[in-house]
Amino acid sequence: MSQNTYHDMVKKQNIEKLRVMEQNLPPFCTLFFRGISDRVSTRTMVAYAYDLQIFLHYAATLILSNPKNPIDIKSLNVQCLDQITKFDIENYMEYLSLYQGEDGMEHTNDARGKGRKLSSLKSLYNYFYESEMIKTNPASIVHVPKYHEKTIIRLEPNEVAELLDLIENGSAKTSKHQKSYHDITMIRDLALITLLLGTGIRVSECVGLNLTDLDFDNGAIRIIRKGGNEANIYFGDEVEDALKAYLEQRTNIIPLSGHENALFLSIQNRRLTVRAVENLVKKYASQVTSLKKITPHKLRSTYGTELYRESNDIYLVASILGHKDVNTTKKHYASMDEEKKRRAANIVKLRKGK
C-alpha cells in the first residue's frame, strides 16, 4: 500500500467537496480553481470556495442588484468583477464583522478572519487580471486588516511531565469504565503524545504516518508536509521507547481493510483521524491545566519553544517545524527574545562592587 494513501484520501475528499461547492458558484470560479490547481493545495481551494461564496452572495445582493431585482450568483460572469470598486470591497470587510449567512445563522469575523477572506478575493482578482479577462483589480489596493499576534500558548516543562505521567498512570478520579478504556489506549496515547511533543509535527502529519514511515536505524520518521513535500524528522530516545512499546502492542491488532499500514489506530482499528487526536489531547490536557486551551498545535508550539530555548537557533526551529519563511518562526517566538533582552539588562555590571 502506498505511503501516501492517507494524504491521497484527504486530497480526494477535498476535490469532491470542491466540486459540490462549485455547483453553487458561477462558472468563472471553476475556471479560477483549475487555473490555480497546480499552485495551491486542495484544502486551500476549498477554503477559497467558501470565502468566495460569501463574497459573491454579498456582491449579487448589495452591489450588483437591488432587493427588488436580486441576482442568482450562479448567473454572474467574470466581467461583473469590473463593476466592483475598492470602496465596495472595504464595505464588504465591514460587513464581515457581523452578518447573517445563507444558513440563517449570525457569523462574525475578527481581523484574522477578514484577512483570510480578503486574501481569497485578491487571489481571484489577480488570476483574472493577469489573464486579461478583467480590466481592474480593486482588491489589490485594499489593505489587509491589521491584527495583533496572540501570545503563544504552550505547556511549561513541569506541565509536560505532568501530562505524560497522567497518560501513563491514569487519573484517580476516573470511573471503572473509564479506567478499562484507558488501559486499552494508554500505550497508544503515550506514544502519540510523546511523538507530538518530541518532534513538533503537525497533527495531520501525525495521523498520516504509516508503519513504513518509521526508521529506527536512523531515529527518524518520514512525513508528508503541507503542500505534499516529504521530510525526515529525527526523534530522541524518549520518543523511540514510546513508539517501540506501542508497536509491540500494535502487532496484536488486526486493522480493518484499507487501514493495514496506518501507524496509529483507533479502538475500532481504523486510522486515527485529526478530530480524534484533537479530542484525545483535550481530554488529557484539560486535567493538567484548566487555564490553557491545549490543542495538538499547542503541543507543536511547546516543542518549538523548548527547541529555540535550548538551541537559540531560529533557523533550526524553522527547518524542523517546516516553516517556509523563517520570519514566520521569528514572529511566533519573538516573545522569547524579549525574555532574553530583559535578562540581559543585568548581565553588564557598571560597578563591580555594587
Side-chain angles (χ1 to χ4, degrees):
M1 185 174 289
S2 169
Q3 63 160 328
N4 291 337
T5 297
Y6 168 77
H7 300 280
D8 289 341
M9 178 190 70
V10 171
K11 183 177 179 180
K12 178 176 178 290
Q13 290 173 344
N14 285 333
I15 291 173
E16 291 172 346
K17 187 181 297 184
L18 181 63
R19 287 176 179 171
V20 171
M21 298 181 76
E22 284 176 335
Q23 294 174 16
N24 296 312
L25 291 168
F28 68 82
C29 287
T30 297
L31 190 63
F32 166 61
F33 294 132
R34 299 300 174 269
I36 64 171
S37 60
D38 61 343
R39 291 184 278 123
V40 302
S41 69
T42 54
R43 179 184 177 185
T44 298
M45 287 195 288
V46 169
Y48 281 178
Y50 172 77
D51 294 341
L52 293 176
Q53 190 168 20
I54 298 171
F55 173 73
L56 292 172
H57 176 73
Y58 172 86
T61 306
L62 299 175
I63 302 176
L64 304 173
S65 66
N66 58 67
K68 295 181 180 179
N69 186 29
I71 298 175
D72 181 357
I73 69 170
K74 289 187 287 186
S75 68
L76 294 174
N77 57 40
V78 70
Q79 284 72 38
C80 77
L81 298 178
D82 275 325
Q83 300 176 44
I84 297 170
T85 69
K86 170 180 181 286
F87 302 106
D88 290 328
I89 296 175
E90 288 175 342
N91 286 334
Y92 169 64
M93 289 289 103
E94 195 284 325
Y95 164 82
L96 289 172
S97 299
L98 176 63
Y99 68 96
Q100 187 175 47
E102 292 183 82
D103 56 5
M105 303 289 289
E106 281 193 349
H107 298 268
T108 61
N109 283 274
D110 58 11
R112 188 183 297 272
K114 292 179 183 179
R116 194 197 81 170
K117 289 176 174 59
L118 179 59
S119 176
S120 301
L121 197 54
K122 284 176 179 285
S123 295
L124 180 77
Y125 265 96
N126 287 340
Y127 175 76
F128 287 115
Y129 186 73
E130 291 171 1
S131 301
E132 299 183 342
M133 294 180 69
I134 57 175
K135 299 176 181 178
T136 60
N137 188 357
S140 66
I141 53 176
V142 176
H143 295 294
V144 176
K146 183 177 181 180
Y147 56 86
H148 300 286
E149 289 296 328
K150 296 180 180 178
T151 303
I152 296 178
I153 297 176
R154 55 184 178 259
L155 292 173
E156 296 301 326
N158 64 301
E159 292 173 325
V160 169
E162 189 178 344
L163 175 64
L164 296 176
D165 287 344
L166 174 67
I167 299 171
E168 194 165 25
N169 303 315
S171 171
K173 299 178 181 179
T174 56
S175 65
K176 185 178 292 186
H177 173 73
Q178 290 171 326
K179 186 179 185 307
S180 63
Y181 182 83
H182 176 264
D183 290 342
I184 296 172
T185 63
M186 182 273 289
I187 295 176
R188 181 205 65 187
D189 294 352
L190 185 62
L192 193 152
I193 300 295
T194 302
L195 179 64
L196 290 173
L197 283 167
T199 60
I201 61 174
R202 297 178 176 89
V203 62
S204 59
E205 295 163 351
C206 180
V207 300
L209 283 170
N210 290 331
L211 293 169
T212 50
D213 292 324
L214 296 176
D215 179 4
F216 287 110
D217 290 337
N218 293 297
I221 53 173
R222 177 178 52 199
I223 62 171
I224 306 297
R225 289 287 196 198
K226 287 169 64 177
N229 296 325
E230 275 192 13
N232 288 328
I233 302 297
Y234 297 93
F235 52 77
D237 295 340
E238 291 174 288
V239 174
E240 180 176 349
D241 291 343
L243 285 174
K244 284 183 174 179
Y246 169 63
L247 286 176
E248 188 175 336
Q249 182 189 69
R250 172 73 171 71
T251 57
N252 298 318
I253 300 173
I254 302 176
L256 291 181
S257 177
H259 301 264
E260 294 87 351
N261 202 22
L263 174 58
F264 291 112
L265 296 172
S266 70
I267 202 165
Q268 292 82 24
N269 298 339
R270 301 173 182 271
R271 183 187 294 272
L272 272 181
T273 64
V274 168
R275 178 62 60 86
V277 175
E278 289 172 343
N279 291 337
L280 187 153
V281 170
K282 180 180 178 181
K283 179 184 75 171
Y284 288 116
S286 62
Q287 298 178 65
V288 172
T289 171
S290 59
L291 299 178
K292 301 175 184 177
K293 184 181 178 182
I294 301 299
T295 64
H297 192 75
K298 300 303 185 291
L299 300 186
R300 178 171 158 83
S301 296
T302 299
Y303 172 81
T305 299
E306 285 305 305
L307 181 60
Y308 186 38
R309 185 176 287 154
E310 293 296 326
S311 68
N312 198 30
D313 187 341
I314 199 69
Y315 293 96
L316 174 65
V317 177
S319 176
I320 292 180
L321 292 182
H323 291 162
K324 293 182 180 179
D325 184 354
V326 72
N327 289 319
T328 301
T329 319
K330 288 179 178 177
K331 182 171 61 178
H332 281 86
Y333 297 96
S335 61
M336 293 190 62
D337 286 331
E338 290 302 313
E339 291 178 18
K340 292 176 184 177
K341 290 175 184 177
R342 281 195 291 270
R343 289 199 299 269
N346 290 313
I347 292 176
V348 177
K349 301 296 182 184
L350 302 181
R351 290 189 287 174
K352 297 295 184 181
K354 294 290 183 180

